Amino acid sequence: MNTSAAAGTPAVELSGITKTFPGVVANSDVNLTVRTGEVHAVCGENGAGKSTLMKILYGMQSPDAGAVRIDGEQVRFRSPAEAIRAGIGMVHQHFMLADNLTVLENVVLGAERAHGIGARARRRVLALAEQAGFRVRPDALVERLGVADRQRVEILKVLYRGARIVVLDEPTAVLVPQEVEELFTTLRTMREQGFTFLFISHKLDEVLAIADTVTVLRRGTTVGTVPAGEIGSRQLAELMVGSELPVPEHGGATATDREVLVVRGLCASEKDRPVLVDVDLAVRAGEVVGVAGVEGNGQTELVEAIMGMRPADAGTVRLGDRDLTRLSTLARREAGIGYVPEDRHRQGLLLDESLWFNRILGHQTRPPVARGRWLDRRGAREDTRRIVARFDVRTPGVDVDAAALSGGNQQKLVVGRELSGDPVLLIAAHPTRGVDVGAQAVIWEHLRTARAAGLAVLLVSADLDELIGLSDTIRVMYRGRVVADADPRTVTPEELGAAMTGARGGEDR
Amino acid sequence: MRTEVRTGTATGRPQRARGPVPGWAHAALWVVVGVVAVSFASYQTGLPQLTSSGTVQSAVRLGIPILLAGLGGLWAERAGVINIGLEGMMILGTWGGAWAGYQWGPAAGLLAAAVFGALGGLVHAVATVTFGVNHIVSGVAINLLGAGTAKYLSTLLFEPVSKNPRESPPVPKFDTYSAQPLGAWLHELENLQRVGISDVAGVLGGLVTGVSPLTMLAYLSVPVSYLVLWRSRFGLRLRSCGENPIAAESLGVAVHRYKYLAVVVSGTLAGIGGAALILNPGQAGYLENQTNNRGYIGLAAMIFGNWRPGGLLGGAALFGYSDGLQLRSGGTTVHALLLAAALVLLVVAAAQLWRRRKLGAGVALVAAAAVLAVYLATDQLPEEITAYTPHLVTLVVLGAASQRLRPPAANGLPYRRGEQGARE
Amino acid sequence: AKDIGGGTAGSAGQGCRLNPPPVVTAGGPVVHRPGPAPNAAAMKVGLAFDIGGRGDASFNDASVAGLERAKREMGLAEVKELDAGAGEPEDAKQTRLRQLAQEGFDPVIAVGYAYADALKIVAAQFPRTRFAIIDEDLRGIPNVTPLVFAEEQGSFLAGVIAAHRTKTCHIGFVGGVRTPLIQKFEAGYAAGAKAAAPDIRIDRAYLTPAGDPSGFQDPNKGAEVAQGQLDGGVDVIYHAAGASGKGVFSSVKSAGAKAIGVDSDQYRQPSVADYRDVIISSMLKRVDLAVFDYVAAAARGDLASVPEKFDLSLDGVGYSTSGGMIDDLVPTVDAYRAAIATGRIKVSDRP
Amino acid sequence: MSTWRARLLPPALAIAFSAVLCAAVLLASGADPVATLAQLVTQVGRGSTAVDIVNTAGAYYLVAVAAAIGFRMNLLNIGIEGQYRLGACAAAIAGGAISLPPGVHALVVVVVGAAVGAAWCGIAALLKVYRGVSEVISTIMLNTLAFGLIAYLTQTFGVLRGNTQGTRIIPESGWVPGIPLGGAGTVFGLVLLAVVVGIGYAVLLDRTRYGFELRASGLSPTAAAAGGVNHRRMVLSVMLLSGAVAGLAGLPEILGRDHTFTITFSAGYGYAGLAIALLGRNHPVGVAFGALLWSFLDKSSLTLDDIGVPREIVTILQGTIVLSVVVAYALVRRRELAAEQRRVGRATGTAVAPAAASTGGDRS
Ligand SMILES: Nc1ncnc2c1ncn2[C@@H]1O[C@H](COP(=O)(O)OP(=O)(O)OP(=O)(O)O)[C@@H](O)[C@H]1O
Ligand SMILES: Nc1ncnc2c1ncn2[C@@H]1O[C@H](COP(=O)(O)OP(=O)(O)OP(=O)(O)O)[C@@H](O)[C@H]1O
Ligand SMILES: [Mg+2]
Ligand SMILES: [Mg+2]
């Protein structure tokens, strides 16, 4: 299946790249050839080694073995600075921006030699933005920008350094379809101007839409390179995981009439600025309510307000017959809410503690992990073993630190924990973000099972396929309000995206 | 790693960074408010000491070591390294300054103080940057180490000469200079004792008379720090290490090198701050425990100044002023200061009201009333309290203002090269 | 422009309206010393220092000087000094005393009132060892001899000198830490100044309140406080501020005013040699003398002969004339001195 | 299995490294390191040194536990110095002013000490929780202010004995008898208080819900918040607890020996406490060893004058020990995590193969 794509000198040639981290072989004998002026996609499960490979190309990590050739010439980068000098730029999976610096400062950082940090640099930035087809305000603080704007800043950074070869590591993960389309327009414009792109994404339809060639990694090695035109997303998925791609499927309505969560007129603000405006919401037993929205439009705040982590200015939150509005987070959890937070490292886990210790978090007042004011360490261990077995958490035992597990396994532990103790409501924020397809399937399956057993689920996700696939009904948030409802059986991702950007209302409103 | 991708704005719309008034004008306005309040209090109570050039000179002398220590803190923390070891570096500076100073004169003393402070900074850099030790822990250890080393060395090297293990031999001092004829003219104005004019003349006069090269250096280091940190490439890179070192590294910034540099500069400044305790006129040589927590206070001044040179200058000035006042003229003037404080609080209340913050205005108003009541009900404060006026003032002001402070985002976080994504 | 020293203070005014000195009929003080120095060749003396330790140019050094003289004149065999740390706990003081007693030093001299409590305990444990304590009137323990001084009397003379030297009729006192001991200095000084010039104004300040020892260690603060007094019109300052006194001297010097030192003859003290030309006199507290007398009494086995208090009449306190800046005042000051020594003037030790 | 190594190796390495460094310093200044060490060790057997070491270790243990409680939550309570002195002062004033049956009297004194320590630290806690003032700065300022307050209190409520200003003597009913060991001195009865506090600290941390919440908040405030831990309340209560324990530290000396608080009362324990907590890794047992080591160095160093070695070498030793112990911990921790990741990798590497084959929605 290996098709040689080389015609003329390839822009990038990686051969025999091997890189090991303690306990993990991130890359082993990876080969990759990228032609000049193409968009070359790199696909693979979580942890397949895509980012590592790109970081090696970008000089952020040095390979244990293998060679890197740029425009035919063998190079060995010891730092990003050298890669930048060789014309390589990288937009990272996680934005690499300093929030407290301005757009201009972020762009010129590290490349001050080119045009200084003053007026000349500002002119240059504005010119580049124009060339790429978007607008910027050089003196705005980055912390005030939305996700799409931040990504533009990232791309500007790369352009400003005169990169000809641009690595985009999961650039679309946080974008809505419209924004993705804008990005792709930019990429196409630039491809015509002669730029070469390495493009990483988990979303295979996107890959096929933008890429000229696709290389698939599986567990650290290249399993094949194919022209994008010759392959469908199903085959691509099989290449990636060695089997069929799981899709979140709905599995029939199980919703009842019993309202479990009722949110009425919820308002919240941050430093005098409203972040939630008059939100109404209800989730019934056996129902999954999906919340869609571009990041920063109040989903996070909604979840926090329901969990009692953010004070509400007005409105009520009820769980069954109980009014939760004045209760603490812990009391809400005790009342039967499970919570999968959006960032497992920051909010879900104590990375430096053992798995069983992590099992206690959020349940510290309840059996089987506690008895009154005392912890039940044995109970915690045993119940953690149960979760490990039931949720297929791959670990040698429950005494290892959470930090030692891979992301997917960490997330399975979190979901398992939050489904423990018979919750009546689960709030799941991005439950499969950055999780590989295997773990994703496990998590989806468990959500579906619990729903069938009568669990009410509030699902916040940026993955529209996940939202559409799992939800019984979808609410769209924009600027802190619920602006539209959508029926997942009929809505398309594009329509949803339009509602999320406030372009037009959803079907029901 | 924790790259936040949330905008925090419900509207998703980029908001304007600053209000209509630029920061410096804002600051200048508050300085004016302060001076007016103090001259009013001086007029009301008939205590010219509140704005006399002598008091201001005291404030300068007492404030300079704190200013320098604070600048040291600023440099380190802007690069993301918390430096609570300033005290230890300052002690090393005093020892080094005295040791070189008594043998080769004040200029050599200054140099040695800088070098010794820098050495302290280097140790801190090795511990925090290379070994990833918790910054505060390392700082505490450096304070122990600095004190111990200085004591040990002075027993070893000073005692044979000074006959006292806790003291250096006399150290020659810098000469002082005054801006003439400006100084004399201001002095005349001050002596007229006219409301307002004399107050301003006193304050300005105090700033330009009896200035030593070391004081000039300290004055200069404020704008220089600003220019270097905010207006140069070097500074941009340095600050980026304190805001998001991983991003900086990804752009080819040698983060470790900048952190090292910043912490060493930090130590150097603290060391010079130590030198200011021994090489300025009117000061003794090295003396055990003479820094007396000034390093920590410098840190407080820096936080007080919101991690900016201008604000830090304000913090050091406030500290020096209140300390100078209570030392020079004791309880009565500190008591008069209450009147000025009440006045400033009133202005704060008005400003809050203007911004339609009712709660803030109310609190400020109540506080103003309380301070005024204390002022009217007493005619002197107990000496045990006035002796610590600066500390109290710092605490109160921080309590009132610290919510608006904005430390560098990655301040104090451990950073290792190539670590990003290790936990992803 | 470069500043070239010299101030304006002191140029104004003609000084105070002065009282005439007291007329003393019985002549000078009567100092009676017991006979010739005994032989102390078999004696080993232990010395436990207070904070400040050797080289403090104050009472620690003075006690060493006393022992040096004992070595010279009585052939004292061995002296051992142990140093104290700042803020050290009580048991460190006990350990120090115990260590000296255990090693066979006898007598053991505790320098400073900080040893009072420790001495009560250790003295009971070593009933055969003789102890002395400086600056604390510790009575009722058979093997402890207190060596205390009438600081207020010496300070009285300093006050007299200040009153005669001020041109502004305004003088200052700078204390290190507001402790009862330092307040004795203040009390005597004020009393002396008032006795010589009833209209005189006296500014008094302490660098830190009791319990914060940094007041003895912070010359910068000393300088500021003195500067404040000088700017307020003071032109003679007496300090009892330990190492912070350096700061006082430096401010006094740059203002062209005058200073009075404390404890030892500070005019001759190397660490403040830069300022000697403004140190017109020093209040002397003769710890050396007391230590010498005590050792001599111990050598004779006659501790009862150690006076209860080393006061003016015993030359236990006094004033210095080094530098010759108060030579014209000596008759006046001596008159007051005689009046105190003979009990005609009583000096209170409370301000 | 390797955890005991992870616990013991760093301090051992650090002490060895620091000893070598100090030996070099001593050699450079012409002293004999071996003789110095011998002198330090033999001093333990002399006089009351051994008992003094135990007594001071008791106080050190208390301040170190106070520091450790804060450290566990990433709170740096530099104010222990002020808290323990103010606590001791207030407790002594209260003890001297009341008269109660034996036992109860002492208990009241102990409670007052703890309460005042907690209250003083509480100021910093309130400022932090409600006004966002860094506790580092506020506690430093409060330390200095404590000086003034103590001076004021001893002036106002105290008496003058000789040249020493102190509080009224506590009547005998308030004393806590010690364990007399004759010539070797008397072990303070309240050293047992340190033991009790230590056990309480260990149980609290390991076995209780509160301890769990404390550790969780320290490790990740965000995760703790999501897990229902009220961060504000934790900060407040932990600072109060830390202050209360600090407030106890001066009491063994006051109730066991001095029976009054004088302005010359021991100073500097607070800073030592921070260092000891670091040395002992905030662990109840580790801190105990740290306190003993620190106390041994302090007490034995008094003898160094005897052989003409500057006592400050011990301060240098202490500083390098703290610095190198944290470096050693950082290095060992890094190695341990890598080893664990390897272990997980190995363990799951075998599990991956069959699972990968059956990836899909068919597993539950
Ligand atoms: N710095 C590091 N230290 C240790 N292990 C690492 C490090 N960086 C990556 N790994 C591990 O190497 C493997 C490959 O990671 P990598 O980030 O390259 O995967 P990826 O294909 O980009 O995954 P994703 O789709 O989640 O972005 C993973 O198991 C990861 O845990
Ligand atoms: N600093 C910046 N960097 C990148 N893009 C930016 C920046 N500032 C603004 N933009 C983008 O430029 C466009 C214009 O935004 P801007 O804030 O100037 O005003 P606007 O759209 O007129 O706002 P409003 O919606 O209130 O009318 C937006 O799409 C925004 O995302
Ligand atoms: Mg990746
Ligand atoms: Mg990843």
Side-chain angles (χ1 to χ4, degrees), chain B residues 152-176:
Chain B
Y152 186 79
L153 288 177
S154 70
T155 311
L156 217 60
L157 297 179
F158 286 159
E159 189 178 8
V161 192
S162 69
K163 306 285 174 243
N164 183 345
R166 293 173 179 76
E167 201 175 302
S168 69
V171 177
K173 315 282 182 239
F174 281 115
D175 297 321
T176 60

Side-chain angles (χ1 to χ4, degrees), chain D residues 265-289:
Chain D
F265 189 72
S266 333
Y269 288 2
Y271 300 104
L274 294 175
I276 294 166
L278 296 172
L279 187 60
R281 210 81 238 269
N282 305 328
H283 188 278
V285 179
V287 170
F289 281 115

Side-chain angles (χ1 to χ4, degrees), chain A residues 46-47 51 93-94 170 434, chain B residues 421 424:
Chain A
N46 278 125
S51 298
Q93 185 170 355
H94 300 277
E170 297 194 36
Chain B
E424 196 43 43

Side-chain angles (χ1 to χ4, degrees), chain D residues 252-281:
Chain D
E253 288 177 29
I254 290 206
L255 295 187
R257 186 187 61 209
D258 303 345
H259 313 305
T260 169
F261 178 94
T262 61
I263 48 179
T264 54
F265 189 72
S266 333
Y269 288 2
Y271 300 104
L274 294 175
I276 294 166
L278 296 172
L279 187 60
R281 210 81 238 269

Side-chain angles (χ1 to χ4, degrees), chain C residues 80 82-85 87-92 94-96 98-99 102-103 113 117 121 135-136 178-181 184 209-213 350, chain D residues 43 46-49 52 56 85 147-148 151 155 160-165 253 257-258 262-267 269 299 302-303 305-306 311:
Chain C
K80 177 157 176 177
L82 290 182
D83 220 359
E88 65 179 9
E90 197 55 33
D91 57 69
Q94 291 182 17
T95 302
R96 198 170 294 116
R98 206 174 281 127
Q99 192 171 325
Q102 238 159 18
E103 288 174 20
Y113 64 81
D117 290 334
I121 291 166
D135 272 353
E136 179 75 54
R178 190 187 287 273
T179 59
L181 181 63
K184 283 164 93 177
D212 180 351
R350 297 291 176 86
Chain D
Q43 173 68 12
R46 292 200 201 119
S48 64
T49 306
D52 290 342
T56 303
R85 294 196 96 225
F147 266 126
Q155 284 294 326
L160 187 60
R161 274 184 301 277
N163 275 316
T164 316
Q165 184 79 35
E253 288 177 29
R257 186 187 61 209
D258 303 345
T262 61
I263 48 179
T264 54
F265 189 72
S266 333
Y269 288 2
K299 300 300 159 194
L302 290 177
T303 183
D305 281 350
D306 255 4
R311 220 178 325 145

Side-chain angles (χ1 to χ4, degrees), chain A residues 102-104 134-142 145-146 148-150 152-153 156 182 478-479, chain B residues 11-16:
Chain A
T102 64
V103 169
L104 179 67
F134 46 77
R135 282 175 49 195
V136 289
R137 273 200 321 234
D139 294 319
L141 283 186
V142 163
L145 300 187
D149 289 339
R150 284 167 186 241
R152 290 184 188 131
V153 179
L156 270 182
E182 280 173 35
Y478 180 63
R479 297 198 175 187
Chain B
T11 60
R13 183 179 59 179
Q15 306 205 334
R16 254 163 257 284

Side-chain angles (χ1 to χ4, degrees), chain A residues 303 306-309 319 322 324 327-342 347-349 358-366 414-427, chain D residues 213 222-229:
Chain A
V303 168
I306 296 176
M307 286 309 297
M309 296 159 66
L319 190 72
R322 288 186 67 184
L324 300 185
L327 296 187
S328 68
T329 305
L330 190 62
R332 292 179 198 217
R333 278 176 161 277
E334 283 168 345
I337 305 185
Y339 171 39
V340 179
E342 62 176 40
Q347 300 175 301
L349 292 168
N358 272 286
R359 166 62 183 83
I360 301 174
L361 190 63
H363 297 251
Q364 58 268 36
T365 48
R366 282 175 279 170
V414 171
V415 173
R417 177 182 74 197
E418 298 305 330
L419 285 175
S420 308
D422 298 320
V424 294
L425 170 71
L426 180 74
I427 298 181
Chain D
E213 296 191 335
T222 44
V229 181

Side-chain angles (χ1 to χ4, degrees), chain D residues 26-355:
Chain D
L26 283 175
L27 278 178
S29 58
D32 178 358
V34 180
T36 307
L37 183 66
Q39 183 75 12
L40 283 178
V41 174
T42 51
Q43 173 68 12
V44 176
R46 292 200 201 119
S48 64
T49 306
V51 167
D52 290 342
I53 291 177
V54 172
N55 282 339
T56 303
Y60 279 172
Y61 188 71
L62 287 170
V63 284
V65 166
I69 293 173
F71 278 138
R72 276 288 182 157
M73 245 195 88
N74 288 331
L75 291 171
L76 186 74
N77 181 3
I78 295 191
I80 293 172
E81 179 75 15
Q83 290 146 23
Y84 95 84
R85 294 196 96 225
L86 196 61
C89 176
I93 290 174
I98 56 174
S99 169
L100 289 171
V104 182
H105 194 156
L107 192 68
V108 168
V109 174
V110 169
V111 169
V112 169
V116 170
W120 197 244
C121 192
I123 298 176
L126 289 175
L127 280 172
K128 180 173 181 76
V129 168
Y130 291 106
R131 305 301 309 163
V133 179
S134 154
E135 78 281 5
V136 176
I137 298 305
S138 59
T139 52
I140 288 169
M141 295 297 146
L142 285 170
N143 272 347
T144 317
L145 290 173
F147 266 126
L149 197 53
I150 288 170
Y152 182 75
L153 290 176
T154 44
Q155 284 294 326
T156 317
F157 299 102
V159 287
L160 187 60
R161 274 184 301 277
N163 275 316
T164 316
Q165 184 79 35
T167 62
R168 257 169 237 293
I169 303 280
I170 299 174
E172 202 148 338
S173 59
W175 300 5
V176 175
I179 306 160
L181 297 177
T186 303
V187 177
F188 297 148
L190 281 184
V191 165
L192 284 179
L193 186 66
V195 177
V196 171
V197 166
I199 294 172
Y201 173 62
V203 170
L204 184 81
L205 269 193
D206 263 10
R207 306 278 157 170
T208 67
R209 173 187 141 197
Y210 182 81
F212 173 85
E213 296 191 335
L214 194 163
R215 286 166 69 182
S217 295
L219 288 165
S220 166
T222 44
V229 181
N230 185 333
H231 190 69
R232 271 189 176 190
R233 224 176 44 210
M234 285 311 289
V235 170
L236 210 60
S237 64
V238 162
M239 302 249 324
L240 289 178
L241 199 61
S242 170
V245 175
L248 298 176
L251 299 184
E253 288 177 29
I254 290 206
L255 295 187
R257 186 187 61 209
D258 303 345
H259 313 305
T260 169
F261 178 94
T262 61
I263 48 179
T264 54
F265 189 72
S266 333
Y269 288 2
Y271 300 104
L274 294 175
I276 294 166
L278 296 172
L279 187 60
R281 210 81 238 269
N282 305 328
H283 188 278
V285 179
V287 170
F289 281 115
L292 280 169
L293 174 69
W294 214 260
S295 180
F296 156 71
L297 288 174
D298 273 359
K299 300 300 159 194
S300 290
S301 70
L302 290 177
T303 183
L304 288 184
D305 281 350
D306 255 4
I307 55 168
V309 173
R311 220 178 325 145
E312 286 68 36
I313 191 72
V314 165
T315 318
I316 298 185
L317 188 65
Q318 289 171 333
T320 33
I321 286 180
V322 171
L323 202 57
S324 40
V325 87
V326 285
V327 169
Y329 276 126
L331 292 179
V332 168
R333 166 80 195 144
R334 224 181 266 179
R335 288 246 318 269
E336 292 266 305
L337 183 63
E340 188 151 282
Q341 274 167 341
R342 244 192 316 276
R343 210 154 58 82
V344 173
R346 261 202 311 278
T348 55
T350 52
V352 162

